[in-house]
């Protein structure tokens, strides 16, 4: 007896299903916002690549996000390379293409940044690197960032964007979820601040680990945030589910996100939060 | 032994109706099992059985996924796939174990976390994330036995401790072989082929350092139970002798190496 198709216990599917959201804004063309349908001329998405009507943030490369987010950025661990632990057919070719497309060594960019004068450890996932999937190097870079931030008493900000596990790395991908979580726990135990910012899409193993472990969890408008894929859910319960079940707005209403912040307001917003927690570590009660 | 079986045969054996069940494990490995219900937030998830028990005279906390036996049980238990309330029950019982200084023993046989509408609404991702963050830090020995399927984050949430052992006919995967085949080759019927590529067998996982050992399985369940009992006895003795700082440092290293 099968209550749901095991064939579909995969999170990546929902990301593929949302083809419209995967389209980059092509130069010199009109594009419809995948969330509200508003027709936008490419120049009008502006620096922030957001819909002028509903403020959905288009999927952007990690390096593009830096352009408006930070004053300075010192990149870390850009030379690490996965050892292809399963010796997986075709994986090397896929990696090479992803590296060229994103100018990254894996699906996350990490470094030490200043945001309006506030120093922090910053990680940005790239949805264009094998769908932002969680690989060994993704997990390693993020773990090293948390470990460094713990040592230097720095707050951490992580922008998530992921289709879930990196299936080409098998169990190694799964182990990253615990590896990173343990580093988050050590950082937290020192009383340091961790802010996660969930962008479109944040799903699967990333939702089920560091995305949902922030002291403060922010999200971009209309970002898809969930664990299981839409199709998997529908095949399991034999019912249609509403389109907005996994929208940032619904997830906030259900109690799992602190605030939704439009992309063009994020720098100011994050700077204020960093300032509020200034000094890192636990507040000295004797003051 | 499993060395003679193909990965596809192990997948079939892991899902077999002849597989040892959660009630069998609990009744035979422990005495005086007190079942405890509920997550103290919203519900009691029948896919997770948990409670207090004696293992060879010492107090332990037991948590287990349960696929159920009858069709009615299987519906209620979502065939062993926990809802958020299940993971929250596990975490609640684990914290209680920590308070009273009891080891935590987890038994896992699940295709994965339940992918339902209410599971999403009640924060399946958050429930697993919290297990990884907090269950991974409990300051008591934490041993997991995988005795059938262990699918993805939904299994990992109960396998983030000091030791993980697998029965000979069990599997531990990032996604199902069927899902893997349909993504990779757009053909879920090539699941057997996928099983080979995925390195999901206990032997392959031991080689990768993801588990500490493989437990021999027998058609005669009393022999399988004796083998599990021997592993638990040995590992509890090992872990209880370790100073807490060392236990926690080794646990960190257990995952840090990946
Ligand atoms: Zn829009």
């Amino acid at each position: 007896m099968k209550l749901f198709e095991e064939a579909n216990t995969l999170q990546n599917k929902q990301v593929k299903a949302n083809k419209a959201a995967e389209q980059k804004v092509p130069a010199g063309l009109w594009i419809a916002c995948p969330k509200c349908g508003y027709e936008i001329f490419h120049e009008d998405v502006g620096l922030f690549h957001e819909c002028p009507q509903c403020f959905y943030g288009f999927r952007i490369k990690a390096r593009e996000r830096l352009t408006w987010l930070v004053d300075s950025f010192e990149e870390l661990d850009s030379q690490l390379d996965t050892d292809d632990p399963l010796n997986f057919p075709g994986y090397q070719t896929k990696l090479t293409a992803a590296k060229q497309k994103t100018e990254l060594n894996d699906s996350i960019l990490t470094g030490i940044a200043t945001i309006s004068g506030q120093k922090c450890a910053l990680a940005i996932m790239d949805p264009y690197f094998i769908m932002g999937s969680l690989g060994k190097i993704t997990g390693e870079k993020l773990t090293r960032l948390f470990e460094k931030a713990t040592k230097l008493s720095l707050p951490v900000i992580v922008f998530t964007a992921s289709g879930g596990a990196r299936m080409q790395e098998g169990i190694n991908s799964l182990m990253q979820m615990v590896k990173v979580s343990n580093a988050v726990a050590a950082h937290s135990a020192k009383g340091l601040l961790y802010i996660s910012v969930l962008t479109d899409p944040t799903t699967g193993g990333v939702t089920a680990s560091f995305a949902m472990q922030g002291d403060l969890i922010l999200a971009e408008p209309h970002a898809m945030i969930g664990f299981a894929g839409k199709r998997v859910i529908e095949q399991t319960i034999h019912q249609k589910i509403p389109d907005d079940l996994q929208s940032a707005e619904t997830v906030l209403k259900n109690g799992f996100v602190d605030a939704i912040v439009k992309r063009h307001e994020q720098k100011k917003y994050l700077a204020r939060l960093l300032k509020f927690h200034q000094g890192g570590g636990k507040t000295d009660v004797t003051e | 032994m499993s060395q003679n079986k193909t990965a596809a045969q192990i997948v079939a054996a892991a899902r077999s109706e002849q597989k040892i069940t959660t009630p069998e494990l609990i009744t035979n490995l422990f005495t005086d099992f007190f079942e405890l219900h509920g997550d103290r937030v919203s519900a009691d998830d029948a896919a997770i059985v948990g409670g207090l028990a004696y293992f060879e005279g010492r107090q332990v906390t037991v948590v287990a996924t349960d696929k159920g036996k009858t069709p009615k049980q299987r519906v209620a238990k979502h065939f062993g796939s926990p809802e958020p309330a299940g993971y929250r029950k596990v975490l609640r019982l684990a914290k209680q174990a920590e308070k009273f200084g009891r080891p935590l023993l987890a038994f896992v046989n699940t295709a994965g976390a339940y992918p339902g509408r209410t599971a999403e609404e009640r924060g399946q991702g958050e429930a697993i994330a919290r297990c990884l963050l907090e269950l991974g830090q409990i300051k008591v020995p934490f041993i997991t036995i995988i005795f059938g399927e262990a699918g993805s984050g939904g299994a990992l949430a109960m396998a983030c401790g000091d030791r993980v052992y697998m029965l000979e006919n069990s599997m531990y995967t990032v996604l199902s072989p069927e899902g893997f085949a349909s993504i990779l080759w757009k053909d879920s019927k090539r699941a057997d082929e996928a099983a080979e590529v995925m390195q999901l067998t206990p032997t392959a996982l031991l080689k990768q350092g993801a588990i500490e050992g493989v437990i021999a399985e027998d058609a005669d369940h009393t022999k399988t139970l004796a083998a599990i009992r021997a592993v638990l006895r040995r590992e509890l003795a090992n872990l209880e002798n370790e100073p807490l700082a060392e236990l926690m440092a080794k646990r960190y290293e257990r995952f840090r190496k990946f």
Side-chain angles (χ1 to χ4, degrees):
Chain A
M1 177 179 174
K2 287 236 171 74
L3 292 170
F4 58 91
E5 265 309 308
E6 280 142 8
N8 293 300
T9 50
L10 179 77
Q11 298 81 26
N12 293 1
K13 282 198 162 173
Q14 69 186 71
V15 183
K16 282 208 161 148
N18 192 358
K19 272 286 170 208
E22 272 191 17
Q23 280 163 20
K24 288 219 8 123
V25 184
L29 286 175
W30 292 87
I31 186 167
C33 167
K35 301 296 171 178
C36 74
Y38 186 78
E39 301 262 328
I40 318 156
F41 191 59
H42 94 280
E43 266 93 25
D44 295 336
V45 300
L47 177 64
F48 299 102
H49 288 261
E50 62 184 359
C51 170
Q53 180 167 278
C54 74
F55 296 103
Y56 165 68
F58 284 89
R59 295 179 185 179
I60 53 171
K61 291 180 190 165
R63 292 198 188 276
E64 284 181 64
R65 202 173 274 279
L66 282 181
T67 57
W68 47 265
L69 182 66
V70 300
D71 310 320
S72 72
F73 185 74
E74 184 197 322
E75 187 172 349
L76 294 166
D77 302 314
S78 61
Q79 300 304 317
L80 296 173
D81 244 326
T82 180
D83 56 1
D84 188 1
L86 300 194
N87 203 3
F88 196 90
Y91 184 34
Q92 292 294 354
T93 319
K94 218 175 170 110
L95 279 169
T96 307
K99 285 176 189 174
Q100 278 171 359
K101 190 149 103 185
T102 61
E103 297 165 60
L104 288 172
N105 55 333
D106 215 298
S107 65
I108 201 164
L109 171 68
T110 58
I112 303 297
T114 49
I115 295 177
S116 302
Q118 316 280 320
K119 197 172 171 189
C120 66
L122 175 67
I124 306 171
M125 295 189 81
D126 195 315
Y128 293 97
F129 194 107
I130 317 185
M131 291 204 301
S133 54
L134 179 58
K136 279 181 84 163
I137 300 304
T138 321
E140 182 64 24
K141 288 177 82 172
L142 197 49
T143 301
R144 288 187 185 193
L145 188 73
F146 270 98
E147 287 174 343
K148 194 176 187 95
T150 305
K151 206 185 256 173
L152 302 176
S153 290
L154 286 177
V156 178
I157 298 174
V158 178
F159 285 80
T160 60
S162 179
R166 177 90 46 91
M167 65 174 187
Q168 293 89 343
E169 295 191 357
I171 204 78
N172 294 280
S173 170
L174 208 55
M175 295 296 121
Q176 302 309 313
M177 290 167 68
V178 188
K179 184 170 100 176
V180 175
S181 297
N182 288 341
V184 173
H187 181 258
S188 184
K190 209 177 164 188
L192 297 166
L193 172 69
Y194 167 32
I195 302 172
S196 55
V197 187
L198 318 187
T199 78
D200 190 51
T202 294
T203 67
V206 167
T207 301
S209 60
F210 53 89
M212 284 291 168
Q213 292 169 346
D215 298 299
L216 305 166
I217 303 178
L218 311 177
E220 293 196 331
H222 313 297
M224 182 209 289
I225 301 164
F227 177 66
K230 183 174 195 245
R231 213 176 338 159
V232 179
I233 298 171
E234 291 182 340
Q235 280 165 351
T236 303
I237 63 174
H238 306 294
Q239 274 172 25
K240 284 259 162 228
I241 57 166
D243 284 337
D244 65 351
L245 179 73
Q246 296 176 318
S247 75
E249 291 71 17
T250 305
V251 177
L252 180 142
K253 216 178 287 169
N254 287 334
F256 298 99
V257 163
D258 285 297
I260 293 171
V261 187
K262 292 171 193 144
R263 202 170 270 174
H264 68 272
E265 292 171 352
Q266 283 171 9
K267 182 173 183 174
K268 220 176 182 176
Y269 196 98
L270 288 169
R272 276 174 55 208
L273 285 176
L274 288 172
K275 188 153 191 247
F276 186 91
H277 294 85
Q278 218 171 21
K282 285 169 180 148
T283 307
D284 188 349
V285 287
T286 58
E287 269 184 2
Chain B
M1 278 296 284
S2 56
Q3 277 86 337
N4 308 320
K5 284 202 180 95
T6 65
Q9 285 169 328
I10 287 183
V11 170
R15 294 168 174 171
S16 154
E17 289 286 324
Q18 267 65 59
K19 174 61 68 181
I20 198 161
T21 65
T22 304
E24 260 184 288
L25 288 166
I26 292 179
T27 319
N28 293 293
L29 293 172
F30 306 104
T31 50
D32 287 334
F33 179 65
F34 297 87
E35 185 169 2
L36 302 175
H37 293 277
D39 66 352
R40 299 291 189 272
V41 181
S42 66
D44 179 47
D45 183 5
I48 297 285
V49 177
L52 316 174
Y54 287 98
F55 175 75
E56 300 192 330
R58 81 183 82 192
Q59 292 95 333
V60 296
T61 289
V62 180
V63 290
T65 62
D66 183 13
K67 289 190 173 183
K69 205 75 181 153
T70 66
K72 201 176 156 189
Q73 281 177 345
R74 287 181 176 184
V75 170
K77 290 171 185 291
H78 291 136
F79 210 79
S81 288
E83 295 219 52
Y87 293 109
R88 292 180 183 129
K89 174 157 76 173
V90 167
L91 187 56
R92 175 176 84 83
L93 296 182
K95 296 227 162 180
Q96 192 186 67
E98 182 180 51
K99 171 176 174 179
F100 293 105
R102 294 189 288 263
L104 178 68
L105 305 179
F107 296 85
V108 175
N109 180 11
T110 180
Y114 184 65
R117 176 179 174 167
T118 52
E120 289 292 318
E121 289 169 342
R122 291 172 193 163
Q124 189 69 285
E126 191 274 345
I128 295 171
R130 189 164 297 276
C131 274
L132 298 181
L133 189 66
E134 297 183 10
L135 193 51
Q137 302 300 316
I138 59 158
K139 294 176 173 57
V140 287
F142 174 7
I143 302 172
T144 302
I145 309 282
I146 292 169
F147 66 100
E149 295 178 276
S152 194
L156 184 70
M158 294 171 70
C160 51
D162 305 301
R163 298 282 192 273
V164 178
Y165 280 80
M166 291 174 75
L167 292 196
E168 185 184 331
N169 295 307
S170 62
M171 60 197 265
Y172 192 8
T173 57
V174 67
L175 76 164
S176 72
E178 292 79 4
F180 196 93
S182 70
I183 294 288
L184 200 62
W185 301 307
K186 316 275 174 246
D187 183 3
S188 63
K189 288 186 205 72
R190 288 172 72 184
D192 288 0
E193 219 176 306
E196 296 297 333
V197 182
M198 290 172 76
Q199 303 193 21
L200 50 69
T201 67
T203 326
L205 291 159
L206 183 62
K207 216 176 284 169
Q208 294 179 76
I211 63 169
E212 275 67 34
V214 186
I215 301 175
E217 223 175 330
D218 199 285
D220 176 359
H221 288 182
T222 58
K223 287 186 183 157
T224 307
L225 287 160
I228 298 174
R229 199 176 293 120
V231 166
L232 291 177
R233 185 188 305 137
R234 186 184 70 227
E235 290 296 4
L236 279 174
N238 286 340
L239 295 170
E240 282 176 339
N241 276 330
E242 282 198 3
L244 181 63
E246 211 165 294
L247 182 79
M248 299 311 287
K250 283 182 182 168
R251 192 186 294 168
Y252 193 86
E253 190 44 41
R254 189 180 183 279
F255 293 97
R256 187 66 187 85
K257 67 177 189 256
F258 286 98

